[in-house]
Amino acid sequence: MERIGSIWTMIVRYLLLVMFGGVIVWACNSAGISVYADDGETPDGAELIRFDFHKSVNQEVGIPAGIPGFFTYFYEGKEYHYGFRFDRNGTGPETEKFGTAYVWAPYTVIYYDAAGGEIENYGTATAGGRRLFATRGNGEELEAGQNKGKNKRKFAADYTVYGQSLRLSEGCMPTAVKDGYRFEGWYAWTDAGVVQEKELAELAKQEQYGTLEDELNEKYMEQTKLLENRESERYPASSITLYAKWDKIWE
């Protein structure tokens, strides 16, 4: 029995050593504050921009400085795992502050349509008709063609990590106002989980906001992941349009 006990002790010690060694290797590989994909791999052909993370702000990955963290996204059906840790030495590449990290990743553009109302507070979004830049990263101009020529009071655009929530990129949604109505939030129309972009875009183009609003059935918040199919993270959206939903105030 003593021999069996000693064998089990050796096995447990070996497993602990392997596990601990794996953590050490992983931590050493992530010693820098940048976020990286497995084996340094990034999606082929994808336009990458830099996203800056701040431990004191980020509600999605705001782990303690120096502690390894991660997030995952899909690109063209392939899964990419990003490991990182927030800087604990105050040597961030841009801000040179304690608790910073950054990631190079593809992005999703979020368009906002006030649907008969007006944008009241833009949050981190850019007003309609203006060029969109990576303001929470390296400042690069982003491709946001649907924002061109739009009314600045009725439309807006923002961005985040590909298929991820706005909250991950430390973004904030705008708010909207409309006389005689209460703003209910930002919505899309989904059918069996699939976002019906083209159908809503056609209704919005014709300003059929009453019909459009009847179809809005999925509320989006800052923590909602931006997907073509809400039922699977394997189908991220490269862009998505969200519409203001209104509740009439009866006096």
Side-chain angles (χ1 to χ4, degrees), residues 56-105:
S56 61
V57 175
N58 204 300
Q59 300 179 59
E60 197 77 27
V61 289
I63 58 177
I67 304 299
F70 67 92
F71 69 89
T72 299
Y73 71 81
F74 286 85
Y75 189 89
E76 294 185 349
K78 185 173 181 179
E79 191 172 10
Y80 293 85
H81 302 279
Y82 277 75
F84 73 98
R85 70 178 186 179
F86 286 104
D87 178 37
R88 56 184 172 186
N89 301 312
T91 57
E94 297 296 321
T95 58
E96 295 188 354
K97 291 182 179 179
F98 171 88
T100 59
Y102 66 99
V103 52
W104 287 88

Side-chain angles (χ1 to χ4, degrees), residues 31-53:
I33 64 175
S34 63
V35 186
Y36 63 94
D38 289 346
D39 301 320
E41 186 179 12
T42 55
D44 292 335
E47 180 185 355
L48 306 181
I49 64 169
R50 198 188 73 216
F51 295 84
D52 294 341
F53 295 161

Side-chain angles (χ1 to χ4, degrees), residues 195-210:
V195 180
Q196 305 299 303
E197 280 271 327
K198 293 182 179 179
E199 291 79 358
L200 286 182
E202 187 61 31
L203 291 173
K205 182 179 180 180
Q206 298 175 18
E207 297 187 359
Q208 297 182 20
Y209 295 125

Side-chain angles (χ1 to χ4, degrees), residues 109-112 122 124-128 130 132 144 147 155-159 174:
V109 175
I110 311 148
Y111 297 104
Y112 297 98
Y122 288 95
T124 55
T126 295
R130 297 181 179 176
L132 181 63
N147 207 42
F155 301 90
D158 207 343
Y159 70 99

